[in-house]
Amino acid sequence: MKKLLLTILLLNSFSTFAQQDTATLGILKFQETLNTEYRDAKTSPLKGKALKKFKNHDFFPIDLQYHVEATLTRMTESSFFPMKTTSQVLKEYRIYGMLAFTLKGKKFEVPVYQSKMLMANEKYKNYLFFPFTDLTNGESSYGAGRYIDLRIPDGNKIILDFNKAYNPYCAYSDGYSCPIVPADNHLDVEVLAGVRYSDKKGKH
């Protein structure tokens, strides 16, 4: 019996380590993809000297306490609404559902959105948009908040990984129309994960 219990404990430990390794590798891949995008003049929001100076984003250290499982409650009757942006352009979104999760001991239930424009694109029709603000804004992260890209899950569970939080293009260059984070998406906690922010453009 003791041997059986020990075997079960060992298998559970290996499973946990494997999940952690998978999560960390996914975060590292996200970081490299984001850095590659910003180095390439065709895909980067950076221009001129800022583009030439850019090497890598400044990320918070990877911390898997910010890699959380959320429960998705879909809102099938939600209508599209014009989400305010940093310009006069309004972008059509709807609340796809509510994400319930626990972060640093606090429970949250926060909207996640779906873009009407992206729904018409075969490549992005399953994308969900999770903007958020937190207690680091204006200090160690971008003042207007950050974004996380998600995909519609098959079931009602979805991984919300704040290590993959990134800044809107407006953090780096003028001329973009970036969605303003709705008040309902404020998290009353410090999210020390994802992209840090320096107010010196081109040094992120």
Side-chain angles (χ1 to χ4, degrees), residues 1 149 176 178 180 199:
M1 186 67 178
D149 293 333
Y176 289 98
C178 304
I180 295 172
D199 59 5

Side-chain angles (χ1 to χ4, degrees), residues 123-138:
K123 184 178 179 180
Y124 299 108
K125 66 179 183 180
N126 291 323
Y127 269 56
L128 296 177
F129 176 56
F130 186 82
F132 71 95
T133 54
D134 68 277
L135 299 183
T136 67
N137 298 146

Side-chain angles (χ1 to χ4, degrees), residues 5-121:
L5 289 174
L6 180 60
T7 301
I8 292 172
L9 287 172
L10 287 172
L11 288 173
N12 286 338
S13 296
F14 287 141
S15 176
T16 299
F17 288 137
Q19 290 174 2
Q20 291 176 344
D21 286 346
T22 300
T24 300
L25 288 172
I27 295 164
L28 290 171
K29 182 179 179 181
F30 161 80
Q31 292 181 351
E32 182 52 37
T33 299
L34 193 66
N35 285 332
T36 300
E37 175 189 329
Y38 274 65
R39 293 187 201 109
D40 188 342
K42 295 179 181 178
T43 55
S44 180
L46 300 171
K47 309 298 178 185
K49 292 182 180 179
L51 177 60
K52 290 180 180 179
K53 290 180 180 179
F54 180 82
K55 293 182 179 179
N56 296 295
H57 285 280
D58 182 16
F59 294 97
F60 286 100
I62 293 174
D63 188 340
L64 294 185
Q65 74 170 315
Y66 295 104
H67 175 93
V68 300
E69 183 179 76
T71 299
L72 170 66
T73 301
R74 291 171 171 81
M75 297 179 65
T76 56
E77 301 299 322
S78 66
S79 301
F80 286 95
F81 68 94
M83 185 178 287
K84 293 182 179 179
T85 70
T86 52
S87 71
Q88 298 299 315
V89 177
L90 298 177
K91 297 187 176 182
E92 295 289 311
Y93 284 87
R94 70 176 179 182
I95 297 177
Y96 181 82
M98 302 296 292
L99 293 183
F101 57 94
T102 301
L103 184 63
K104 300 182 77 172
K106 292 188 176 184
K107 292 184 177 181
F108 297 95
E109 190 169 11
V110 185
V112 62
Y113 303 90
Q114 188 173 33
S115 164
K116 187 175 185 179
M117 181 180 69
L118 291 185
M119 285 177 66
N121 186 316

